[in-house]
Structure formats: structure tokens, C-alpha cells
Amino acid sequence: MNEILKGIPASSGISIGPVHILGREEISVSKRSISEADIAGEIVRFEEALIQTHKELIALQKKVSAELNQEQAQIFDAHLLVLEDRMLIEEVISRVKKEKVNVEYIFHEVIKKYINVFSRMEDEYLRERIADINDVSKRVMRILCGKKKKSLSDFQEPVIVVAHDLSPSDTAAMHRKNIIGFVTDVGGKTSHTAIMAKSFEIPAVVGVEVATSKIGEDDTIIIDGISGVVIINPDEKTIAQYNQARQKIKAQDEAFISLKSLSAQTIDGRLVELAANIELPEEIPFVLEHGAEGIGLYRTEYFYMNRRDLPSEEEHYEAYKFVAQKMQPYPVIIRTLDLGGDKFISQLQVPRDMLPFLGWRAIRFCLARPDIFKVQLRALLRASIHGKIKIMYPMISGVEEMRQANQMLEDVKNELRAKKIAFDEDMEVGAMIEVPSAAITADLIAKEADFFSIGTNDLIQYSIAVDRTNEKVAYLYEPSHPAVLRLIKNIIDSGHRNNIWVGMCGEMSGDPMFALILLGMGLDEFSMPSRMILPIKQLVRCINMDDARKITEAALDLSTGKEVDEFSNKKLKELAPEVYKIIEQS
Ligand code: PEP
Ligand code: MG
């Protein structure tokens, strides 16, 4: 019988395939009693696992020092030290003898104790050793449990990855590998893991809570990223139904392709710009295929992930130049580093905040680390002569930060001018408006910026106080909450009163139901996962601005998010039935 699990739809599409459970060995280590006679064997098993791990680490160290450099290879010295820690080894052996329990269980318990002790240490350096202990212990555990480590790029055949959690950098590693979908226990619709899945067009369901405990390594599953359903070991009839649904989605996508060469213009002639959000330059071909007329958000932090060093100015420059040239004559808005929240970059060794989304992230981090920020600014400016680059700063909370960031940009411009290095003197510089304080004082910030781009993913989480990555409070994450709509309206009106254009790069602009209201508010640019561009274009082409304004006014008069959803759903069905079909399936 089909077993059905329900989660949060994170990236649309349907996948059917075998499962690979990622990181299961971290989750369950069973306790097994052993006899007196088994003790020696358990200790030998442990010692062999240590020797094997040692060999693996030395081999890895050699490879890294040959391919990268000596400094990066030194990271393994810390790992080897953990492996050779006599106190740790002796504690494991003596507990196996005393408690007569299998060695992997004892080892796991001892490691947990070590991690606990280190996490309470005052010294930041020592606290950071937790990552080394974790890494080494996982290697030892894998050998003890007879599991081979699989990397996300190892798969020869298509698989669906099931994991407790996936970091945005794990997801970045899935790009163009044999991974046809993923399911996680935790996560919300606008966590960066979900956002990346959408960009790579990998169907995904997050926040399933029991995925890793209910799904087994030998299972086949269907994931339905439209309704958020996961079906374990489906019967033939269900597989046939889903294959049919998959064909329907494909046909629908193809039907929208005819819109590619048409303009994004309302019936009465208002033109809006429909742009794409990207994480990696490799996405450009998809973006163009979907008819984007620009990049409204290039999230540059992925450039810093899955590597052991910081990107050099040249690497930044080459990536930005590539994107700017490929997107010509359209604009490319490059967002400066938005580290923090749910995105961490291992080589920066930034201590984790208690509340990472409220902590040392984005522009706060960049202003405090001009050594890192200026490298990116220099590369951005140099690349600006190769296309139509604009830049924007994330997480601006008020005028002060905007001025400080602009001052740093001006300093870098002066350095370039002194060295006679060319850059676009007219490059536009914008602010992301994603913090309520910025949304409320948008009239003041508008005087310091050339444009605004509204980051609703964060704006919603901050204004409703709901963590965007937490599945337990996902039901509160409402783009249509009256508070959110009022803030957005204020941002757009303030921008327009100050003669600057206003765009939106949060996920909300790619949702037809909300796009209708945003159009009526006068939003100038909509930037979204590329797959949604043509459906939104279809919507824009079905509407005239008078109707859109009336819908917006009526929506702003409603008292709850639910009422707004029902109302705009109804209007969408009346005005753009083809686009409504997409929502109906979700
Ligand atoms: C946003 O917050 O809406 C946004 C686009 O930025 P990110 O999702 O990267 O935080
Ligand atoms: Mg944001």
C-alpha cells in the first residue's frame, strides 16, 4: 500500500526514483550488549577503524596539498590530532570493557560528551574544533558501521536525496548531478535550500518531519513538489498517475514558451520588467530559455561556498563579467555578500549567533570586514564595463548603513580612478528593503539609493516574527498578511515619490496570486525563479491597470491573510484562468 507523507512544497515538479538517505549514520546508532568474549573483538574493530581513518585522512591531505596548497592541507592536521587523542581512545576502550556494549555506541557517546564540553568553552578557537571532532567522528563511525561515504556528486544513476536537513552549500553541490529531487525533515518554503532547488528546477519537499525515520534506503518514492506530498513505494497505478501528471506539467510549460518573444505589458500598455533570480552563473542558459529580461538578483554568497579559501578579486571579476556579457543588453543586479542567517561559509570561521537571522549578517558583516567587502566591490566595478551591472546591498536597516556602504563604494571607486582602471561611472546602486525598519523609513532611504528591491523572504519573517526555515511555524509565514501588504505598499509609494524604481526579488513576486496585487501597487520589476517568468508574463498580459489597482485596493481593505488569499485567488481565476491552473494544482 502507498504510504503518504505530507510536507511543505518547496520546488515544483514531480520526481519518481530510488532513495539515497544522506547522513543517516549520524542519526541512529543502536546500543547492543556484548559478551565478555566479544570485548577484545570490539576493541580490535575500533583500532582498525582508527587506522583506516588515519589512512584516509593522510591520503586526503596529500590530494589537497597537491591540488590546492599546503595551508589548506593543514586543516587535516587538526583532524589527525583528534584521531590520535589518547584520552578519547582510552575512554572508549575502558567503557567498552566496563559496560559491555558495542564500540560504535560507546564511541558515539564519548564524542557527544566531548562536543558538549567544547561547545561550552569560552575560547573561540577551541569551540571551533567541534567541526574537526564531528568530521573525524563521522569518518570513524562510517567505518565502524560499514558504511561508505557518498558525496553528492557520486551518483551514477538518478536518486532522490532524503536528509534530515540540507545546507544551502549541500544543495549547491547537487547542481547538474544525478539528483532528481530531495526531501528533508526540516525547512520552510523560503529557506535558501528550497530557493536553490527552485533555481535548479529540482522538485523538493521540505519540513516532512518524519522523512528520515519513515523512508528507507531501499525504497522508491514519488515526490510531488507541487502539493508537498511524498509517496513511499507507490503501486503501479499511482506511478502511472504521476507519470501522467508529469506529462501535463511539461505540456503546460511548453504552452507558455510561445510567450517568450512577447512583451510583459498589460492590456493598457504598462510595461513591467520580468527578471530572474540566480545563485550560480551556470544558470544563465536556463534563465534565457525562460525569457528573462534581466537578472534581478544574483545571490553571490554561493560563490564563497563549497571551497576552502575565499574567492579572489579575479574570480569575482570573471564570474560577474561572464554573467553581464551573457545577459546583454539586459541588466544584471548583483547583490553584495549576504552571509549569515541560514548561509554559512566555512572558511570565514564566523561564530554562530544565537539568532542567526538577527545577527551579524549581510551588510553588517561587510561593513565590519572591509577587507572582504572591498574585494567584491572592486571586482563588481571592474566588471561593470562589460554589461549593464547594478549592485544592491542586502539587509539595509536604515539610512546610516546605506551611507556607510556607499562611502566604502566611493573609496573603492577612488582607488580605481587613481589607478586609471575603467568602470561604469553611472552604475546604479540600490538597497534591498527586507527589514521592517527600512520598509517604514523607505522615504528616507530612497534619497540615498537609485532603486529598491524588496526582499519579501526576509521582510515577511521579520515583520511577522516567523523563522523562514522553521517548518513548525510555516503556517504563520503569510505573504498576504495585511502588515506585509502595507509595508510593501509603503516601500513602492516611497520609492516612486522619490523618483526611483522599485522591484521585488523575494519569492512573492513569482507567485501569480500576489503578482496580481503587486502589479496594482505599481511594482516596476518582478524578479523570480526563472520557471515562473512566462506564467507571470501571461498574467500581466491579461490585465489592465485599472482592474489591477481596484484588486489591490480591495485586498488592502481586508483583515486577514486568508481573506486576501481567497479574494486574489478568485480574481486570478476570473482574469487569467491559464495561470490560475498552476495555482489550482498546488
Ligand atoms: C529576500 O529576503 O526576499 C531575498 C530575496 O533574499 P534572500 O532570500 O537571499 O534572503
Ligand atoms: Mg533576504
Side-chain angles (χ1 to χ4, degrees):
M1 203 186 72
N2 299 325
E3 185 174 2
I4 297 178
L5 306 179
K6 189 85 185 82
I8 300 168
S11 172
S12 70
I14 291 166
S15 281
I16 305 173
V19 164
H20 173 71
I21 312 258
L22 201 70
R24 163 146 296 173
E25 64 272 30
E26 292 164 34
I27 299 158
S28 61
V29 183
S30 54
K31 185 176 179 179
R32 197 166 30 84
S33 294
I34 55 169
S35 69
E36 188 72 37
D38 291 335
I39 292 176
E42 284 299 280
I43 294 171
V44 168
R45 221 157 57 77
F46 180 49
E47 283 170 348
E48 281 175 357
L50 294 179
I51 293 167
Q52 179 61 26
T53 309
H54 196 275
K55 277 190 196 152
E56 278 183 20
L57 285 174
I58 296 282
L60 214 62
Q61 191 171 38
K62 273 199 188 133
K63 188 164 177 269
V64 169
S65 76
E67 285 173 10
L68 297 167
N69 62 39
Q70 198 55 36
E71 212 177 298
Q72 283 138 356
Q74 273 168 6
I75 201 164
F76 296 105
D77 287 341
H79 290 190
L80 287 165
L81 278 180
V82 175
L83 199 61
E84 288 158 6
D85 187 318
R86 282 317 310 168
M87 254 171 57
L88 188 150
I89 297 171
E90 273 158 24
E91 185 172 348
V92 173
I93 294 178
S94 78
R95 280 187 59 179
V96 169
K97 285 182 185 162
K98 203 163 116 219
E99 296 172 34
K100 296 197 183 71
V101 169
N102 56 323
V103 70
E104 51 270 47
Y105 180 80
I106 298 285
F107 179 68
H108 190 244
E109 290 293 294
V110 172
I111 288 291
K112 265 202 310 207
K113 194 183 88 182
Y114 265 62
I115 287 177
N116 226 328
V117 172
F118 273 72
S119 63
R120 277 189 262 114
M121 284 185 176
E122 291 284 311
D123 186 321
E124 197 179 301
Y125 174 81
L126 289 175
R127 269 204 322 269
E128 281 166 8
R129 300 284 65 77
I130 291 178
D132 299 326
I133 300 177
N134 254 326
D135 199 279
V136 172
S137 70
K138 271 189 221 154
R139 285 177 187 280
V140 176
M141 286 302 285
R142 262 195 307 271
I143 294 167
L144 283 174
C145 302
K147 289 202 168 100
K148 186 177 169 295
K149 179 176 168 55
K150 262 212 151 102
S151 109
L152 283 172
S153 51
D154 276 352
F155 301 104
Q156 302 302 318
E157 302 290 331
V159 291
I160 298 176
V161 167
V162 177
H164 177 67
D165 194 9
L166 284 171
S167 67
S169 58
D170 287 332
T171 322
M174 289 183 186
H175 189 44
R176 298 201 181 183
K177 302 295 177 316
N178 260 327
I179 293 166
I180 55 168
F182 69 78
V183 183
T184 57
D185 289 336
V186 300
K189 225 183 180 125
T190 60
S191 61
H192 283 95
T193 297
I195 286 173
M196 295 213 67
K198 259 188 239 170
S199 273
F200 300 162
E201 300 186 12
I202 302 176
V205 180
V206 300
V208 180
E209 294 189 14
V210 293
T212 51
S213 55
K214 294 269 184 178
I215 302 172
E217 185 78 38
D218 299 323
D219 289 338
T220 289
I221 58 173
I222 295 178
I223 63 171
D224 177 349
I226 302 161
S227 60
V229 158
V230 178
I231 305 171
I232 309 174
N233 296 325
D235 53 35
E236 290 299 319
K237 196 169 141 221
T238 312
I239 293 180
Q241 274 167 359
Y242 272 90
N243 271 329
Q244 224 173 23
R246 208 151 50 163
Q247 288 307 323
K248 225 169 113 187
I249 296 172
K250 201 165 156 238
Q252 210 169 54
D253 283 350
E254 279 163 9
F256 282 119
I257 287 289
S258 59
L259 293 169
K260 217 171 123 175
S261 56
L262 303 178
S263 59
Q265 192 168 28
T266 59
I267 296 170
D268 53 333
R270 171 159 160 75
L271 262 174
V272 291
E273 196 177 314
L274 300 184
N277 294 347
I278 60 164
E279 280 71 37
L280 300 170
E282 293 92 305
E283 290 173 60
I284 297 295
F286 290 123
V287 161
L288 293 170
E289 231 169 77
H290 289 293
E293 294 179 341
I295 301 294
L297 167 64
Y298 175 3
R299 290 183 167 94
T300 56
E301 42 288 352
Y302 293 93
F303 202 34
Y304 295 73
M305 289 178 176
N306 294 326
R307 54 187 296 161
R308 291 192 177 274
D309 55 352
L310 287 170
S312 66
E313 183 182 323
E314 267 335 278
E315 286 176 78
H316 277 285
Y317 168 74
E318 289 298 336
Y320 305 152
K321 177 179 154 190
F322 172 84
V323 175
Q325 282 177 333
K326 292 277 174 208
M327 288 306 295
Q328 287 263 43
Y330 300 121
V332 173
I333 304 180
I334 303 181
R335 176 176 72 184
T336 57
L337 176 61
D338 185 9
L339 160 95
D342 59 348
K343 289 171 296 194
F344 289 95
I345 295 160
S346 53
Q347 75 276 25
L348 286 180
Q349 305 287 333
V350 176
R352 305 248 166 164
D353 291 307
M354 282 278 282
L355 296 167
F357 278 111
L358 301 184
W360 199 41
R361 62 170 291 210
I363 198 67
R364 302 165 184 187
F365 172 84
C366 286
L367 291 175
R369 292 292 305 264
D371 53 325
I372 293 173
F373 193 30
K374 283 187 170 176
V375 170
Q376 184 175 33
L377 292 178
R378 250 194 314 272
L380 278 167
L381 284 164
R382 285 175 50 212
S384 66
I385 56 165
H386 298 289
K388 205 166 167 194
I389 289 183
K390 307 177 189 200
I391 69 168
M392 65 182 176
Y393 310 124
M395 279 281 288
I396 290 289
S397 65
V399 166
E400 199 67 41
E401 277 172 336
M402 191 67 199
R403 285 187 184 155
Q404 284 172 19
N406 275 338
Q407 185 54 54
M408 238 177 243
L409 182 68
E410 199 49 40
D411 294 345
V412 176
K413 283 185 180 176
N414 284 334
E415 285 169 27
L416 294 179
R417 285 182 191 120
K419 290 185 185 155
K420 304 222 173 327
I421 297 175
F423 62 89
D424 175 7
E425 290 276 357
D426 299 322
M427 185 177 76
E428 287 184 32
V429 181
M432 274 193 78
I433 305 293
E434 48 185 345
V435 178
S437 59
I440 294 165
T441 56
D443 56 330
L444 306 176
I445 301 172
K447 298 188 172 54
E448 318 280 332
D450 297 318
F451 66 90
F452 283 158
S453 183
I454 308 174
T456 47
N457 305 340
D458 278 317
L459 186 63
I460 297 165
Q461 79 163 342
Y462 295 134
S463 47
I464 313 179
V466 48
D467 180 346
R468 63 194 264 192
T469 63
N470 186 335
E471 69 288 354
K472 300 260 185 330
V473 288
Y475 69 99
L476 284 172
Y477 191 95
E478 277 187 317
S480 49
H481 191 294
V484 176
L485 296 186
R486 288 178 195 196
L487 287 175
I488 294 173
K489 178 157 189 334
N490 187 54
I491 301 166
I492 298 174
D493 290 348
S494 303
H496 288 171
R497 272 199 296 269
N498 285 281
N499 304 316
I500 62 170
W501 64 266
V502 183
M504 178 179 287
C505 58
E507 298 293 294
M508 193 172 167
S509 67
D511 186 324
M513 210 164 76
F514 305 128
L516 188 58
I517 297 173
L518 297 168
L519 195 65
M521 285 188 189
L523 191 73
D524 303 294
E525 178 238 32
F526 296 62
S527 191
M528 61 197 82
S530 33
R531 195 169 168 261
M532 287 314 293
I533 289 175
L534 294 175
I536 297 290
K537 190 188 273 190
Q538 164 90 348
L539 167 67
V540 170
R541 293 178 61 85
C542 293
I543 307 276
N544 74 56
M545 282 305 288
D546 265 351
D547 288 337
R549 278 189 213 103
K550 280 187 200 132
I551 290 168
T552 304
E553 265 168 45
L556 282 164
D557 268 347
L558 297 170
S559 313
T560 68
K562 238 191 205 89
E563 287 169 19
V564 174
D565 291 347
E566 279 166 13
F567 172 72
S568 56
N569 232 328
K570 192 171 128 237
K571 289 291 165 191
L572 188 68
K573 190 174 181 179
E574 277 169 32
L575 297 165
E578 286 306 311
V579 183
Y580 176 79
K581 265 196 219 153
I582 296 180
I583 303 226
E584 204 180 23
Q585 289 169 340
S586 60

